[in-house]
Amino acid sequence: MKTLITLIKGQRINLSKLYPETDKLKIDIFWKLKAPHHSNSYDIDLSAFMINQDAVIPEEGYFIFYNNPLSADHSLAMSKVVPSAENQELSLNLASISPEIEKVTFILTIHDSEIRQQNFSHFENISLTIWDEERKEKLLTFTLDNFEQETAFELGNVYRKEGSWRFNPIGRGYNKGLQEFLDIYHPANTADTPSKEEKESETEKPIISKLDLLKKKVDIIIEKNALQKIRARVGVVLDISGSMRRLYKEGIVQNVMERLLALATRFDDDGILDVWIYDNSFSRLPSVSEKDFPNYVEREILENTGVSKFTANNEPPVMRDVLNKYIKEESSSLPVYLIFINDGGIKKAKKNQDSVANVLIDSSKEAIFWQFAGIGDGNFDVLRKLDDLEGRYADNAGFFHIPDIEKETDEELYEKLLHEFPRWLTEAREKKILAR
């Protein structure tokens, strides 16, 4: 059993010398917020930059974060990000690091810190612990506290010197978030240094955000389905019945909405995602864009006492309101792509009551496609039978099931979301629901 070493800031240590038989490391990052702050309200991002002798990442694949969890050389891997958790893990295989990489530095940032008015003074401490991954033994630990107004921390780095891998516990705070490190290490910043005049006239460099990277993934699926020229209004209806409580409270719905917003920006010229929630009643919420997306679920839903939430579900009223908005209130020549997220338990209509089937039949001559997504392990019998629903002018609905939305990759989600939409577009043009 190895002795756990507690490090202080700047106390460099030779990993190769102390642990000559250890190549596979696990790096645990933990943080704790002060009361009354809660992790549900904070979007904490761990990232890593794998840096060459020119002090930049050689290519995009050496910038590791939640949407690029595996390095180009496969030596560094990030574990699955769990919303609202207070820790994150990385696995680092020293023997597999590309020869061109000289240093791996670990960065912790608060996403949208300026908009949310958040900083690390709200934190009690941050700790970094290095393990021998194969032997399950702790090797080193390093703890930070007494923060000020920082929005990013360079926690430490593993670096190569004289043929050995070493660790440097840095613990240095910054006030410009992740952008500060992108400016330093990203290849886009390796061009010739601009003159003073050029610097003064240079516009602010764009931030590479989660949403930007999601857009790139959407673009790949859009091109695969030949949807590059499609313009559509995009909306989402979110189940907020009692069984959805955990997904809202733990930030999972906020994460799903970010993935859907990336899709909306590619179809809608204004980059707008229209939003409804429903349980036994429904609420038409403010539409969301990139600008007002941060903390949307917390602000517009969980903290909004004017909306009903966490009771039984009733689908037809909210579906009728969707039609009212797009067909009567805001009629347009553009098609509507409506994503309907439900976790099972579609209300079964009694005799003479409105139903999901009735709404779909009534709207089958309209330029609206309903994409139903069932999440969890509920009963989706009603939705599974949509393809066999008779009486429709056009097949205007699709359904897919995701047992665990947290484990569904972005690529898998976008593939499923856009699988049936192209077929409907073709049929809608043939039947003159849409202009050719």
Side-chain angles (χ1 to χ4, degrees):
M1 178 69 69
K2 298 180 177 67
T3 302
L4 175 64
I5 299 175
T6 300
L7 301 175
I8 60 174
K9 188 185 297 187
Q11 183 184 351
R12 299 169 187 259
I13 196 161
N14 192 322
L15 297 170
S16 299
K17 182 177 180 180
L18 275 177
Y19 314 109
E21 297 179 357
T22 301
D23 285 326
K24 296 181 179 179
L25 305 177
K26 183 176 76 171
I27 296 152
D28 270 352
I29 313 295
F30 289 86
W31 55 89
K32 183 178 180 182
L33 284 101
K34 299 175 181 176
H37 305 292
H38 194 277
S39 57
N40 281 345
S41 301
Y42 290 73
D43 191 353
I44 310 302
D45 292 328
L46 176 64
S47 55
F49 292 85
M50 303 183 73
I51 303 160
N52 62 16
Q53 62 181 0
D54 297 320
V56 296
I57 57 173
E59 59 178 87
E60 293 279 356
Y62 288 101
F63 170 37
I64 310 306
F65 64 112
Y66 97 105
N67 238 357
N68 181 43
L70 183 64
S71 64
D73 60 5
H74 289 200
S75 67
L76 181 62
M78 177 176 287
S79 64
K80 178 179 177 291
V81 176
V82 179
S84 79
E86 295 186 339
N87 76 291
Q88 183 63 53
E89 296 179 0
L90 293 159
S91 294
L92 178 63
N93 188 340
L94 299 176
S96 299
I97 297 176
S98 170
E100 65 181 325
I101 299 300
E102 297 291 324
K103 181 170 68 173
V104 184
T105 192
F106 309 109
I107 310 296
L108 199 66
T109 57
I110 303 175
H111 183 59
D112 286 330
S113 57
E114 185 175 349
I115 296 172
R116 300 182 184 187
Q117 296 184 331
Q118 297 172 347
N119 59 66
F120 280 103
S121 70
H122 303 167
F123 286 57
E124 189 169 310
N125 57 57
I126 304 169
S127 67
L128 182 153
T129 303
I130 298 180
W131 295 65
D132 181 325
E133 189 162 36
E134 290 189 322
R135 296 174 179 83
K136 311 299 182 187
E137 294 179 350
K138 289 184 181 180
L139 306 178
L140 313 168
T141 188
F142 170 53
T143 301
L144 289 167
D145 53 20
N146 296 321
F147 307 112
E148 296 182 0
Q149 303 295 313
E150 303 94 339
T151 58
F153 262 92
E154 186 172 14
L155 302 176
N157 59 54
V158 172
Y159 66 101
R160 197 194 306 259
K161 183 177 180 181
E162 297 173 351
S164 294
W165 285 108
R166 306 168 189 237
F167 176 69
N168 179 17
I170 298 173
R172 184 182 301 122
Y174 296 81
N175 295 314
K176 294 182 181 178
L178 183 61
Q179 185 62 40
E180 190 140 1
F181 300 97
L182 291 168
D183 288 341
I184 296 170
Y185 300 129
H186 194 272
N189 297 304
T190 61
D192 294 337
T193 303
S195 66
K196 180 179 179 181
E197 291 76 14
E198 289 172 327
K199 284 185 177 180
E200 290 175 350
S201 63
E202 185 183 36
T203 57
E204 185 179 354
K205 294 182 178 70
I207 297 174
I208 297 178
S209 68
K210 291 181 182 178
L211 198 58
D212 293 328
L213 291 154
L214 286 171
K215 291 176 190 176
K216 293 181 180 179
K217 294 187 177 184
V218 172
D219 288 343
I220 293 171
I221 308 302
I222 283 177
E223 184 174 355
K224 179 179 178 181
N225 287 281
L227 296 171
Q228 301 96 312
K229 296 182 180 180
I230 294 299
R231 292 293 170 264
R233 294 179 289 174
V234 183
V236 60
V237 174
L238 298 166
D239 184 348
I240 195 168
S241 57
S243 53
M244 289 283 291
R245 185 186 299 270
R246 181 185 70 85
L247 300 186
Y248 279 90
K249 296 290 187 181
E250 294 184 3
I252 295 164
V253 172
Q254 175 79 8
N255 180 272
V256 170
M257 282 192 62
E258 185 170 28
R259 297 160 91 177
L260 299 182
L261 180 59
L263 177 59
T265 63
R266 286 337 203 204
F267 281 162
D268 190 306
D269 288 336
D270 296 323
I272 296 294
L273 178 66
D274 298 321
V275 183
W276 286 260
I277 59 170
Y278 81 98
D279 52 5
N280 194 44
S281 59
F282 70 87
S283 296
R284 190 193 298 186
L285 300 178
S287 299
V288 62
S289 65
E290 293 185 52
K291 182 178 180 181
D292 49 21
F293 172 75
N295 211 32
Y296 181 89
V297 169
E298 190 77 23
R299 181 181 69 252
E300 300 293 346
I301 300 177
L302 296 180
E303 294 179 355
N304 187 346
T305 58
V307 303
S308 176
K309 40 181 138 2
F310 307 132
T311 66
N313 55 304
N314 186 16
E315 289 74 24
V318 68
M319 295 177 72
R320 293 292 179 187
D321 192 63
V322 168
L323 296 180
N324 193 50
K325 173 183 172 69
Y326 290 126
I327 296 172
K328 296 180 180 179
E329 296 176 13
E330 301 174 13
S331 179
S332 169
S333 60
L334 292 176
V336 175
Y337 177 71
L338 196 288
I339 304 161
F340 199 108
I341 295 179
N342 170 271
D343 77 338
I346 292 287
K347 184 177 180 180
K348 293 184 179 179
K350 297 180 181 179
K351 188 176 181 180
N352 298 324
Q353 282 187 332
D354 202 2
S355 66
V356 171
N358 288 341
V359 179
L360 294 178
I361 291 169
D362 291 347
S363 63
S364 62
K365 290 186 178 182
E366 306 294 344
I368 179 168
F369 179 75
W370 303 84
Q371 179 60 69
F372 290 89
I375 61 175
D377 55 2
N379 183 347
F380 300 102
D381 287 350
V382 173
L383 298 179
R384 292 184 193 280
K385 297 175 182 177
L386 289 178
D387 285 340
D388 300 323
L389 180 62
E390 297 181 353
R392 290 178 295 168
Y393 182 69
D395 185 357
N396 60 343
F399 170 75
F400 63 83
H401 177 217
I402 300 176
D404 190 344
I405 191 69
E406 299 170 76
K407 294 181 179 178
E408 193 81 356
T409 69
D410 300 322
E411 292 86 352
E412 289 169 340
L413 178 62
Y414 293 136
E415 284 274 9
K416 291 174 180 176
L417 283 169
L418 297 178
H419 177 66
E420 296 192 62
F421 187 44
R423 172 199 50 74
W424 174 79
L425 288 170
T426 299
E427 184 180 3
R429 292 189 188 104
E430 289 174 351
K431 294 185 175 180
K432 299 184 180 179
I433 297 172
L434 293 175
R436 289 186 178 272

